[in-house]
Amino acid sequence: MSYSTDNIFAKILRAEAPAAKVYEDAKTLAFMDAMPQVPGHTLVIPKYPSEDLFGIPPDDLAATIKSVQLVGRAVRAAFESTGIMIAQLSGREAGQTVFHLHFHILPRHHGLELKFHAREFEDIAVLESHAQKIRDQLARQS
Ligand code: AMP
């Protein structure tokens, strides 16, 4: 399968679809997952158009992982979570549903189970308030 520019994350990158953004630099973008599995579920994507983990040049992948660490630290502080889960699904059989490479950042808490993957849309006002908490932490870190 080759990269399709019709995917929703490509549209977010082109500002043709909305997103509760938390971070952006020359090579990466981070925004709230619209169907969060836990409060604070955040996605980090490269701007490079790669369908999955295997189609991206190493430098762009390195920049993406750097952003995962930066944003992950802010998510951890914003949601007072001691456990951060990072997930990356490559391929339909692995559960991938959006075919633009992305890393999930999931703050975990004792006793709080993950909701189903990509199932239920969250209210945009809730996503925006979560994004603001993370942006506040990023501002504090810089
Ligand atoms: P995956 O199944 O690993 O490809 O993950 C795709 C993720 O994108 C899921 O967690 C979805 O909830 C999320 N998602 C789908 N559409 C949007 C959207 N418009 N904005 C933000 N996140 C989305």
Side-chain angles (χ1 to χ4, degrees), residues 6-18:
D6 280 345
N7 76 75
I8 185 66
F9 295 170
K11 288 181 184 169
I12 289 172
L13 281 171
R14 294 195 298 269
E16 293 168 9

Side-chain angles (χ1 to χ4, degrees), residues 38-122:
V38 283
H41 184 168
T42 307
L43 300 172
V44 178
I45 70 173
K47 292 186 175 175
Y48 187 90
S50 179
E51 182 185 316
D52 62 19
L53 186 63
F54 306 106
I56 185 170
D59 282 359
D60 291 84
L61 179 59
T64 309
I65 284 293
K66 223 172 134 187
S67 293
V68 169
Q69 185 189 46
L70 182 81
V71 175
R73 191 177 285 126
V75 169
R76 186 173 61 163
F79 289 85
E80 296 176 349
S81 156
T82 47
I84 289 286
M85 181 172 147
I86 305 298
Q88 200 294 304
L89 314 180
S90 278
R92 207 175 293 282
E93 290 71 22
Q96 186 175 5
T97 57
V98 177
F99 292 89
H100 180 112
L101 173 62
H102 53 281
F103 289 84
H104 297 258
I105 298 174
L106 295 139
R108 303 298 308 269
H109 292 88
H110 185 70
L112 181 62
E113 294 300 325
L114 291 180
K115 288 200 208 164
F116 283 116
H117 179 63
R119 189 69 69 84
E120 201 183 326
F121 278 96
E122 181 56 278

